[in-house]
Amino acid sequence: MDIEELRTFVEVADAGGVSPAALRLGVSKSIVSRRLVRLEAELGVQLLARTTRGAALTEAGATFRDYAARVCAEIDVARETILPAGELRGRLRVAVPLSFGPTHFAPILAEMARRHPQLQIHTCYSDRFVDLITEGYDCAIRVGYLQDSNLIARRVGPIYGKLVASPDYIRAHGSPETPEELVAHEALMQGTESWQLMDGDKIITVRPQGRFKADNGMALVAAATAGLGIAYLPDCLTHEHIASGALMPVMTRHPPPPAGAYVIRPPGQHPARKIRVLTELLIEYCEPAPHLAGVDR
């Protein structure tokens, strides 16, 4: 039984169709289809029911998928074990935030590719929430405060942030001094998130309201400099605007607690060595890096 046929079947099962699985694997749809036909012929059972919307697992396919996934995972661990020290092969799919991923994390991923010429690195830059398991990513780099989930996280560096507003907004609406005053102001947000603030040694949570929302940090910077409201943003996106006077810190007596940059991966007993290497490289670059943590602190 061919390992690539097993891996292809698992990708089709998880992606829900031949086309998304082919995209994940970096091969043509015809190759995916041929591998599936060979696997089903060898097993003598139908694993997938093809539909106009994609492919659905049969009862046999649902049972076989878990065994196939475990076999693929064990083969990956075995391959890593016998590779020469430091050598990485295969493919690494990473989801990275768009707001400052291209400027802060892309150079680190490029350095990893330089150090490991046999490794393929495929990166998706997006500020939307990426479902690692459904979309077939090996890991993600995420920043901020982590929500509870079944994913496994490793902190790789600090992220500091501030609440900021433009001088025009402050002149027109005043500068809030307390959390109670803050909730009466226009907030610039990514969605319906809450904001955490320090009150001495305690962390308090406020739920701001606002009419302007965007899923990208630079879009919120633009809205803040335009005077539309108060934004909570990482220092690496705002320090130049604060230095120029286009933005001003607010709520300085109640600063947000430090957040973090994390490598997130799906649950599993053995993290792939390529993920461990990426994590160690990010720690090497991010922990001492003022440009990531915030140079204006």
Side-chain angles (χ1 to χ4, degrees), residues 116-180:
H116 302 280
Q118 300 301 315
L119 180 67
Q120 302 175 44
I121 299 180
H122 297 179
T123 311
C124 171
Y125 292 93
S126 174
D127 282 333
R128 71 176 178 85
F129 181 83
V130 174
D131 187 324
L132 301 186
I133 298 173
T134 301
E135 299 183 46
Y137 284 91
D138 296 295
C139 64
I141 303 172
R142 291 182 181 162
V143 299
Y145 306 103
L146 293 185
Q147 298 178 348
D148 291 336
S149 75
N150 65 338
L151 301 176
I152 298 173
R154 172 73 186 277
R155 186 179 182 276
V156 297
I159 299 288
Y160 298 110
K162 290 182 176 65
L163 273 66
V164 296
S166 71
D168 287 343
Y169 179 88
I170 293 173
R171 279 193 292 269
H173 304 281
S175 179
E177 297 293 335
T178 66
E180 292 75 19

Side-chain angles (χ1 to χ4, degrees), residues 3 30 40 45 61 99 106 112 131 148 152 154 157-158 187 194 229 234 255 288:
I3 185 63
S30 61
E40 289 180 326
V45 296
S99 292
M112 185 172 178
D131 187 324
D148 291 336
I152 298 173
R154 172 73 186 277
S194 58

Side-chain angles (χ1 to χ4, degrees), residues 278-293:
L278 173 61
T279 301
E280 292 163 2
L281 191 60
L282 285 163
I283 292 172
E284 175 187 337
Y285 275 75
C286 293
E287 280 289 4
H291 68 286
L292 181 63

